[in-house]
Amino acid sequence: MKALYRDWQLYLLLLLPLAYFIIFKYTPMLGVVIAFKDYNMFQGILASPWVGFETFREVFQMDGFYNALRNTFLLNFLDLVVSFPIPIALAILLNELRIKWFKKGAQTILYLPHFISWVIIGGMAIQLLATNNGIVNNLLKSLGMKVIPFLTEPVYWVLTYLGIGIWQSAGWGTIIYLAALTGINKDLYEAADVDGASRMRKIWHITLPGIKPTIIILLIINIGHMASIGFDRPFVLSNPLVTDVSEVISTYVYKIGIQSARYTIATAIGLFQAVVGLIFLLSADYISRKVNDQGIW
């Protein structure tokens, strides 16, 4: 109680974020019970009859669900393998730059795309990469080269999806690692200079170990999101020609659960994602603790 009286201003500041999480994050979780009910909006959540796991059986019998689940895992896995290391490399490169104005300018240019809406990015992608009248393909045609179906061929679509994702998020992710780099003791670099260590040696033996805890925590969090995927990015970049690879859990829930007003299906899939994500998260944390003695908890 003494701490409460002494630091009451800090506790007062904490009330607003606590209220946010309670109202918008924890209270809506009560609605998850409709996954186990034959939900009727006129009867309400409490009065709707219980159906047990019947909704989950219906979800697991849908062919489209497995296709969406496969695509979700595939795109998340590729994102993890391809996109995850890039912010680390960018942060190390920026940290090695000695010209301050160039370093700050590069940082600004890199993380600006993070603030662009995916709706705008989708429009830019169509204008630039469309097969018939995209700027890139028009340029290729004028040079006598073949048109590349960036948005209409599944393999090219996946590559385009990854490339645009890297462009949009790599700069923002770099900030986290740059913040971690500031915590490395500068004396270590000076000692390495005295010993005649090369720049690559310093990166390998000082920089990377210094940001290793941050890398591990972000990797575990990313693995925990393997079963879930954002809605905007696959939705704005997809089209009927690439549905086989672009249909993911979030777009599938939107079509089946929201557009068709089948809220129990949408809730059951959301709960399934949360459970699978929790299993991935705990497993990754357990393995990390066994291998590196580091983890989230």
Side-chain angles (χ1 to χ4, degrees):
M1 289 302 291
K2 287 182 180 178
L4 181 62
Y5 282 117
R6 186 183 65 238
D7 303 321
W8 66 271
Q9 297 97 334
L10 296 177
Y11 287 100
L12 189 65
L13 288 173
L14 191 62
L15 281 180
L16 191 59
L18 274 178
Y20 168 80
F21 277 99
I22 291 171
I23 295 172
F24 296 105
K25 298 294 182 182
Y26 290 102
T27 305
M29 289 173 65
L30 299 175
V32 79
V33 296
I34 70 172
F36 304 96
K37 289 194 165 195
D38 182 14
Y39 175 67
N40 186 317
M41 66 173 69
F42 299 106
Q43 291 178 301
I45 295 176
L46 297 178
S48 297
W50 292 93
V51 295
F53 290 93
E54 189 59 38
T55 307
F56 291 92
R57 291 194 191 94
E58 187 178 351
V59 168
F60 295 142
Q61 288 172 356
M62 294 177 170
D63 293 333
F65 170 74
Y66 290 104
N67 183 53
L69 186 63
R70 182 203 64 188
N71 292 338
T72 301
F73 278 122
L74 175 66
L75 294 176
N76 280 335
F77 176 75
L78 291 174
D79 250 342
L80 189 67
V81 172
V82 178
S83 306
F84 183 79
I86 290 178
I88 302 171
L90 285 174
I92 293 173
L93 287 173
L94 288 171
N95 189 56
E96 292 297 317
L97 292 177
R98 295 291 175 260
I99 305 174
K100 288 187 177 180
W101 65 266
F102 184 80
K103 181 178 178 179
K104 289 183 178 179
Q107 278 181 250
T108 305
I109 292 171
L110 283 171
Y111 67 66
L112 272 182
H114 176 77
F115 299 101
I116 302 176
S117 162
W118 273 108
V119 176
I120 296 174
I121 293 175
M124 291 167 60
I126 293 171
Q127 292 295 322
L128 289 170
L129 306 174
T131 305
N132 295 326
N133 54 5
I135 294 173
V136 174
N137 276 320
N138 282 340
L139 181 63
L140 291 176
K141 280 191 284 187
S142 66
L143 296 173
M145 300 172 70
K146 287 185 178 179
V147 168
I148 300 175
F150 292 105
L151 301 174
T152 54
E153 187 74 27
V155 174
Y156 286 103
W157 186 89
V158 171
L159 295 175
T160 305
Y161 175 90
L162 292 173
I164 293 176
I166 291 170
W167 172 75
Q168 196 268 348
S169 61
W172 187 255
T174 303
I175 294 174
I176 298 172
Y177 294 109
L178 283 173
L181 284 169
T182 60
I184 299 176
N185 190 346
K186 303 298 180 189
D187 293 344
L188 295 175
Y189 290 104
E190 292 175 6
D193 287 333
V194 171
D195 292 339
S198 66
R199 182 167 288 189
M200 290 303 297
R201 284 281 184 185
K202 286 188 282 186
I203 291 173
W204 185 254
H205 292 289
I206 299 174
T207 306
L208 282 175
I211 60 174
K212 183 181 170 185
T214 306
I215 295 174
I216 289 173
I217 288 173
L218 292 179
L219 180 63
I220 292 172
I221 292 173
N222 274 277
I223 291 173
H225 288 156
M226 284 294 285
S228 61
I229 192 168
F231 173 79
D232 298 348
R233 183 175 162 198
F235 184 75
V236 300
L237 295 176
S238 68
N239 61 74
L241 294 174
V242 293
T243 304
D244 285 345
V245 293
S246 66
E247 187 78 285
V248 294
I249 289 289
S250 55
T251 56
Y252 186 72
V253 167
Y254 172 71
K255 292 174 183 174
I256 301 297
I258 307 301
Q259 286 187 331
S260 304
R262 301 177 69 182
Y263 303 118
T264 54
I265 295 290
T267 307
I269 294 175
L271 184 57
F272 170 77
Q273 282 182 285
V275 172
V276 173
L278 181 63
I279 293 170
F280 271 94
L281 182 71
L282 294 177
S283 301
D285 186 72
Y286 176 78
I287 294 170
S288 175
R289 285 193 174 281
K290 286 291 181 184
V291 176
N292 297 303
D293 199 25
Q294 288 179 334
I296 295 178
W297 296 286

